[in-house]
Amino acid sequence: MTSGQPGTGNARPTPTGADAESRSATTAAAGALTQPARTSDKVPTETAAGQSPARDGGATGAVPNGDPATSRPAKRNAARRGDKRGKAAKQDGAAKQDAAIKQGTADKQGTSDKQGTADKQDAVEDGTATSDSTPKDSDASKSSDASKSSAPAKSSAPAKDGEAVGGAATDGEPAKGAETGDADGKDKADGKTKPVGPERWEAFASAPEPRPSIFSRASRAVGRFLIHEWTLAALGALALAVLMTWPTLRYPRYTLPQDYWDPSLQAWQMAWSGHILLADPARLWQSNTFFPELWSFAFSDTLLGYAPAGMLGSGPEDAVLRYNIMFVLAHALATLGAYALARQLGAGRIGAAVAGVSYTYAPWLLAQAGHLHVLSNGGIPLALAMLARGHGWSLRHGYRPERRHDGWVYAGWLVAAWQLSLGFGIGLPFAYFLAGAVLVAAVLFFARRLRTGQAVPFGRRLFAADVLGGVLFAGVGLLMAFPFFKVTELHPYAERTIGDVSLFSPPASGFVTAPAESRIWGGLHEGARAALPWHPEMTLLPGFVLYALAAGGLFFSVWRLRHRLLLLAGVLVTMAFAMGTRFFDGTFTYVPLFEHLPGWSALRTPGRLMLWTTLLLALLAAGAVTALTDRVRELTAQRIPSWPGPWLRMATLLPLLLVTVEGLNTTPHPVVPTQPAAMRSAEGPLLVLPSNQSLDQHVMLWSTSGFPDVVNGGSGFTPRQLDDVRRVSQSFPDQTSVDYLRTLGVRTVVLLRGQVTGTPWEINIDAPVESLGISRQDVGDAVVYRL
């Protein structure tokens, strides 16, 4: 007889009895729906009577006489459904096998090696499981191996129409050991089971990390930017500048720091450069003041680098506001620049902060609060830091070629050129320092090459950056110098002399004397200041705390010994130059520079070279503080427990606190004189009386309303023509003065009533003018004469 099912097309003869062969085509057809389990190659042919060997939920259901343990109705039902199932198996066999792999319900029906049970049987139809005894030979094993290669042994297809899953049944009932692969795999009301598979384990797996949105990525980038060292350094420098210069920003439209003379001049300079560069750049050096003089914008340092700020706003109040903002930003930039230089040279964060604060808020600079061109020195250390970074050079680590970057070199030269554009009073020594540094670097480069026979890594890109950057710097310097040379040519009496330098040269006692604006030392040094001929330019104390830290840095520092000695030598040399003619009459220091270096003769205040002394002292102090912080870090790391660690770290902030306290000031902030109403409507060219060096600086500020041409002006020198105007106009209004002013082209004269007390105009201000051919009109607190 055959044991194949109809419609399968795969029937083959099998013996009957207890030694029956493996399943016929009926089992094979059902195997298309379920995955056969692996069987052993050698199994016994007989099982115990009445038992069906089963393992892990599988059952064979064999009986002693070899008849299958199934009911006849079930067989008839299977015969009727066989044809349909055969076709389905033939068409969808592969797909259902894949589904079985994915669903993963395993009939764990194995053979017991000890008992020698028959192979697993999974064919289930209409709720009835059939089983045959296992043959002795290996034909069943071969048949099972053929199906094993296509699916795992522990999987089965989902049951249909109430079929049992995972085991054989007797008389339509599931075997006792039958299991389902999932709790949801049990029979349901509609006769279908929920597909089961790997998702049963996915609940225990970790959820994949979601991909961040563009807003999340942007917020993270902003967060990283805000906590970056340089962001914190910039914000800290700005906050400290606001606090240390307070109350500059309390009434920024109406007050000026220190006094209202030179700050008024410099507020006009920024306003003029911004205005004229937008209106008529060709007239930059022919300003509206000192009419009718030429090149009048070059009569003093110009702060041309602040021209972009001058393009915003108009009028005196905006000019004062602009000046106060730049005053605060200049302090912030100086702190950030010195911090960057110390960090690039190898100092730690706290050491670099000490360098930045001590460089910016040194007590001697408090006397320069009215000179924005002196306080605007942050570009010097910042440019040096960028150039050192671009060349891969550090004071602590030496030359590291792998850290070279030509972009930083370009940035360094650009910042240096901007610093030079602010004025030659501070920029000219910086220019000569850069030239000397380039020369020394070139000599050392070739000397090492001759000594070792090997070229130091440099690179063409870095060389090109230095050449182009140097050309840019030199070009800006020449363009800035040309107008000043023209002024010297037109006004030779404006050139400084050694006698002028002697008047402003400080003695050695100036290095330990603080200005009156120092909150800590101002009152204590009042007697010492009285002994100085011109104390605003001779009180050069950089800070006693800075002196102490720099002295400690000579013995305890992260810098090498030779570098410490070089820094000390720089401090002593710059001090000697800052003394001008007071150091052996300047024979070996200031006088040779004054006589031979182009442009140096325009510098009449040698004490401002103290800026370089302060920077070198700050670097020595940074080396000492960095060594201290490194030692504290080592001590706290070695201690167990490290309970004093936080206190030791806080102690490293003490030097920073001390240099900050020593920089506190009592700088006055006087109210700027209000612009007369007559200045808002007066037509130029005009003359404002009284006229002198101090009052004319106010007139320059008032002229920012429309920038009319005015005869008045204040600068480092007074043109002779302006002297003549002041002398002749003492008798105004009279025929002589009127005729002279008409010759110059003056059309309007504004006489300020509030300033005529004790002057010749106090008597003539109300005199009749009809006989002079001019008109007179009272406008507010001034009298306007139209010639």
Side-chain angles (χ1 to χ4, degrees):
M1 62 177 291
T2 62
S3 57
Q5 294 293 339
T8 62
N10 195 23
R12 69 177 185 177
T14 57
T16 59
D19 297 331
E21 289 287 327
S22 64
R23 286 187 246 165
S24 62
T26 304
T27 306
L33 300 178
T34 61
Q35 297 299 321
R38 182 176 179 179
T39 60
S40 61
D41 293 337
K42 295 181 180 180
V43 293
T45 58
E46 294 181 359
T47 59
Q51 295 181 355
S52 58
R55 185 184 179 119
D56 297 336
T60 58
V63 295
N65 60 0
D67 293 333
T70 55
S71 61
R72 292 181 180 179
K75 290 183 179 181
R76 286 195 297 269
N77 292 336
R80 287 193 298 267
R81 297 173 61 91
D83 186 44
K84 295 181 179 180
R85 291 195 176 274
K87 293 180 180 180
K90 189 175 182 179
Q91 295 176 358
D92 302 327
K96 291 193 175 184
Q97 286 178 4
D98 293 339
I101 294 174
K102 294 180 181 178
Q103 294 170 3
T105 53
D107 290 338
K108 298 178 181 180
Q109 301 178 10
T111 59
S112 174
D113 293 336
K114 295 180 180 180
Q115 298 178 1
T117 58
D119 61 341
K120 299 178 183 179
Q121 300 182 8
D122 300 324
V124 181
E125 295 182 0
D126 297 325
T128 304
T130 61
S131 63
D132 295 327
S133 58
T134 307
K136 292 181 181 180
D137 57 8
S138 60
D139 291 340
S141 299
K142 293 180 182 180
S143 176
S144 176
D145 292 340
S147 61
K148 178 177 65 177
S149 62
S150 61
K154 295 183 179 182
S155 62
S156 65
K160 294 184 179 181
D161 300 331
E163 295 172 353
V165 179
T170 304
D171 296 332
E173 296 294 331
K176 294 181 179 181
E179 293 181 357
T180 59
D182 195 350
D184 294 336
K186 297 179 179 179
D187 293 344
K188 294 188 178 181
D190 57 356
K192 295 182 180 180
T193 58
K194 179 181 178 181
V196 292
E199 62 270 12
R200 66 180 295 185
W201 306 112
E202 288 180 358
F204 299 94
S206 58
E209 184 177 356
R211 183 179 181 182
S213 64
I214 186 172
F215 299 103
S216 300
R217 294 194 299 270
S219 62
R220 291 178 184 177
V222 171
R224 287 192 298 268
F225 173 78
L226 292 178
I227 64 175
H228 195 276
E229 176 188 354
W230 294 109
T231 304
L232 296 177
L235 294 177
L238 182 59
L240 185 63
V242 173
L243 294 176
M244 295 294 285
T245 59
W246 190 261
T248 299
L249 296 183
R250 186 177 182 180
Y251 304 109
R253 287 180 174 269
Y254 310 105
T255 62
L256 286 171
Q258 189 78 356
D259 56 59
Y260 44 56
W261 293 302
D262 283 353
S264 294
L265 163 65
Q266 293 168 339
W268 166 82
Q269 287 174 333
M270 285 188 285
W272 167 256
S273 60
H275 160 75
I276 201 63
L277 288 178
L278 292 176
D280 187 6
R283 279 195 57 199
L284 172 64
W285 300 102
Q286 318 301 330
S287 74
N288 69 310
T289 59
F290 294 100
F291 178 84
E293 295 285 353
L294 301 176
W295 307 99
S296 56
F297 192 49
F299 284 0
S300 58
D301 277 341
T302 61
L303 294 175
L304 186 60
Y306 290 148
M311 297 177 182
L312 304 175
S314 62
E317 288 188 359
D318 287 344
V320 173
L321 173 64
R322 184 186 305 114
Y323 179 91
N324 285 322
I325 292 176
M326 301 312 298
F327 179 81
V328 174
L329 291 180
H331 285 81
L333 181 62
T335 305
L336 181 63
Y339 177 89
L341 178 60
R343 286 290 285 156
Q344 172 59 31
L345 295 182
R349 292 182 177 88
I350 299 178
V354 169
V357 174
S358 60
Y359 172 75
T360 306
Y361 303 103
W364 76 273
L365 283 169
L366 298 177
Q368 304 292 331
H371 301 145
L372 184 58
H373 62 292
V374 177
L375 299 177
S376 299
N377 52 58
I380 294 176
L382 183 60
L384 294 178
M386 289 179 171
L387 290 173
R389 171 67 178 86
H391 289 85
W393 186 80
S394 170
L395 194 64
R396 189 174 183 180
H397 306 289
Y399 180 57
R400 292 178 288 182
E402 68 277 4
R403 292 179 174 265
R404 293 169 297 170
H405 196 290
D406 57 318
W408 285 110
V409 176
Y410 285 114
W413 285 111
L414 186 62
V415 172
W418 173 79
Q419 176 66 55
L420 188 62
S421 70
L422 294 176
F424 284 112
I426 297 300
L428 189 63
F430 177 48
Y432 281 116
F433 174 82
L434 283 180
V438 170
L439 181 61
V440 170
V443 170
L444 293 177
F445 178 85
F446 288 106
R448 181 175 178 180
R449 183 172 183 177
L450 292 176
R451 185 177 68 254
T452 62
Q454 297 179 353
V456 179
F458 195 77
R460 295 180 180 179
R461 295 180 59 182
L462 203 61
F463 180 76
D466 280 325
V467 170
L468 295 177
V471 169
L472 171 65
F473 180 78
V476 171
L478 291 176
L479 290 176
M480 291 286 297
F482 178 77
F484 291 93
F485 284 122
K486 294 294 293 184
V487 170
T488 304
E489 179 183 344
L490 296 173
H491 308 277
Y493 52 88
E495 193 171 357
R496 313 300 184 187
T497 63
I498 289 294
D500 297 328
V501 175
S502 299
L503 291 175
F504 296 98
S505 296
S509 61
F511 296 115
V512 291
T513 305
E517 292 81 3
S518 174
R519 184 177 293 275
I520 304 298
W521 308 114
L524 298 175
H525 293 179
E526 185 176 357
R529 287 194 303 273
L532 299 175
W534 183 250
H535 66 82
E537 296 289 349
M538 297 182 181
T539 51
L540 303 179
L541 175 67
F544 290 113
V545 175
L546 183 58
Y547 275 143
L549 293 175
L554 294 175
F555 305 97
F556 180 69
S557 177
V558 295
W559 313 134
R560 295 182 178 90
L561 178 60
R562 66 174 184 272
H563 293 151
R564 285 178 260 167
L565 295 177
L566 287 175
L567 290 174
L568 175 62
V571 168
L572 298 177
V573 169
T574 53
M575 279 185 168
F577 278 97
M579 293 178 66
T581 59
R582 295 296 185 102
F583 186 81
F584 296 101
D585 295 330
T587 304
F588 308 104
T589 55
Y590 202 87
V591 172
L593 300 180
F594 188 87
E595 293 178 346
H596 301 292
L597 285 185
W600 201 275
S601 58
L603 308 181
R604 63 174 179 173
T605 52
R608 293 175 183 177
L609 292 175
M610 192 64 187
L611 184 71
W612 293 91
T613 306
T614 307
L615 182 59
L616 296 174
L617 288 172
L619 294 178
L620 275 173
V625 175
T626 301
L628 174 63
T629 55
D630 290 348
R631 182 58 179 162
V632 167
R633 189 179 300 108
E634 294 174 0
L635 290 176
T636 55
Q638 294 172 2
R639 293 187 62 89
I640 301 176
S642 59
W643 65 267
W647 298 102
L648 290 176
R649 292 189 181 95
M650 289 182 64
T652 59
L653 298 176
L654 184 60
L656 178 60
L657 178 63
L658 291 177
V659 295
T660 303
V661 170
E662 198 171 14
L664 296 176
N665 65 86
T666 58
T667 302
H669 288 74
V671 178
V672 181
T674 306
Q675 180 190 33
M679 287 289 296
R680 302 189 188 103
S681 58
E683 297 180 359
L686 61 90
L687 169 66
V688 180
L689 297 176
S691 175
N692 56 53
Q693 174 73 14
S694 299
L695 294 178
D696 281 4
Q697 291 175 334
H698 296 157
V699 175
M700 298 173 79
L701 177 61
W702 296 336
S703 72
T704 55
S705 294
F707 294 97
D709 290 334
V710 295
V711 179
N712 306 73
S715 68
F717 80 100
T718 302
R720 288 179 178 172
Q721 182 171 281
L722 182 57
D723 273 338
D724 294 340
V725 171
R726 291 171 178 172
R727 177 178 50 82
V728 172
S729 62
Q730 293 290 324
S731 59
F732 184 88
D734 64 350
Q735 194 63 50
T736 302
S737 60
V738 170
D739 292 342
Y740 179 75
L741 294 177
R742 282 174 174 171
T743 302
L744 292 179
V746 176
R747 293 294 176 262
T748 306
V749 176
V750 177
L751 185 58
L752 303 178
R753 288 183 178 272
Q755 303 292 336
V756 299
T757 303
T759 66
W761 298 288
E762 187 176 6
I763 301 174
N764 300 331
I765 191 171
D766 293 321
V769 295
E770 288 79 4
S771 61
L772 300 175
I774 62 176
S775 63
R776 177 180 177 277
Q777 180 184 7
D778 289 328
V779 180
D781 194 25
V783 180
V784 179
Y785 300 89
R786 293 181 173 83
L787 308 184

